[in-house]
Amino acid sequence: MSVIPVNENNFEREIINADLPVLADFYADWCGPCRMLRPTLEAIAADRSDVKVAAVNIDENPDLADEFDISSIPCVILFKNGAEADRSIGLVPREALEDMLG
Amino acid sequence: MTDIIIIGAGPAGLTAAIYARRAAKSVLVLEAKSYGGQIINTPDIENYPVAAHISGFDFATKVYEQAKALGAVFKFEKAVGLRDNGDTKTVITAKNEYEAKAVIIATGSENRKLGVEGEDKLVGRGISYCATCDGAFFRKKDVAVVGGGNTAIEDALYLADVADKVYLVHRRDAFRGEEAGVAKLRERDNVEFVLNSVVTKLNADRRLQSVEVTDRQGNVRVLEVSGLFVAVGRVPENQNFASLIELDSAGYAVAAEDCLTGTAGVFVAGDNRRKEVHQLVTATADGAVAATEAVKYLNA
Ligand SMILES: Cc1cc2nc3c(=O)[nH]c(=O)nc-3n(C[C@H](O)[C@H](O)[C@H](O)COP(=O)(O)OP(=O)(O)OC[C@H]3O[C@@H](n4cnc5c(N)ncnc54)[C@H](O)[C@@H]3O)c2cc1C
């Protein structure tokens, strides 16, 4: 799979109602660490069929960023059964995200 | 066996890789996170010769690609230890051990934490270490900056344009940072100095709600802020190698401009070395010097 762009309109469907755990990357184009982290998320999306990887642009979806109390990006939130299970802030190595998945 | 292992793929390590490869030495770069180091956090670099404006991401990517094209090998693993076997050195990572004839430690520095309870949990939920990175989340809100150096002053100035109100909390009454910046801050109606005070408590529910500060007399005041920008300096990343290199009381590696350490074949380069100016140009300069010294050592 690839990284799925998510916005306010499809958030419910793609993340809250997803069958699989979702890693949702809250990012912005101007954010260097976000751009650095993107290949890692793409690799997880490509390698793992047991998780879904989504990307939320916080400039285009400020209400979502607000709803999840995000004040620093990249912020990768792990959603399980529609609820936040964990989150990771800043540029982290792939293992850190995989550890979060358990 | 690799000729030279470089620990850290920031500007210093990447430049060292370029110089070492151009001297035809084999190079393995070990990096804990991602190439580029601290500089990827800045959207605009304006003081590096040749490029009047370049983003930190583009800068990092260009240097990385240059080093890679010259044949440097990259592995994304954190070095947790270093052993001196005389003619060879062993770099230890979580899963592996790598051997080399010479090692350049270019591990840079990390943000210093405030050390107040609950800080770690609130990172990204109101607490930040980078105003230009996260300032946009505090548009029209009230924030505080902690620190007394240039970074704190620059952060406060930047945030004064974005946020509604900015408190600058500093434990002394005089600033270490430049007077010109302090003067600019004094002109701002929405900046308030909270001097001789330290942050003593963080109040939060799901995110930061307010910050308690205490002054020298023991008076407590609560600042209703949704953001706290911590600018109390940086910590060099040398602890893992302390058995082979001399560190000063702040943790910086003690080495002269030649980047030599007390251990033959081990060199230090960049922001983790004790020096006056910690900037890109001095980091890249260190990279060039350390690699050249390492090549000299290998050819001796
Ligand atoms: C927000 C911000 C803006 C800045 N703007 C400018 C500017 O405009 N102009 C300027 O000249 N300078 C600027 N600087 C300073 C500049 O970024 C640094 O001086 C420079 O990056 C130092 O390079 P370095 O390679 O020595 O260290 P770093 O950039 O810190 O890189 C060190 C690297 O080593 C890695 N590492 C650490 N420990 C280990 C380990 N144990 N194992 C493996 N890898 C490890 C780190 O992950 C990192 O990638 C800025 C800094 C910041 C934070």
Side-chain angles (χ1 to χ4, degrees), chain A residues 33 36 67 69 71-72 87 89, chain B residues 34 41 123-126 134 206:
Chain A
M36 277 299 171
E67 185 180 336
D69 301 304
S71 78
S72 193
R87 71 169 66 187
I89 289 141
Chain B
S34 171
N41 289 298
V123 174
R125 292 174 180 271
D134 301 330
R206 274 172 14 139

Side-chain angles (χ1 to χ4, degrees), chain A residues 36, chain B residues 9-11 14 34-40 45 54-67 280:
Chain A
M36 277 299 171
Chain B
L14 291 171
S34 171
Y35 64 84
Q38 295 160 52
I39 200 61
I40 65 162
I45 302 164
I54 182 170
S55 76
F57 178 85
D58 288 343
F59 181 94
T61 304
K62 281 186 183 208
V63 192
Y64 170 70
E65 279 168 1
Q66 193 177 350
L280 283 176

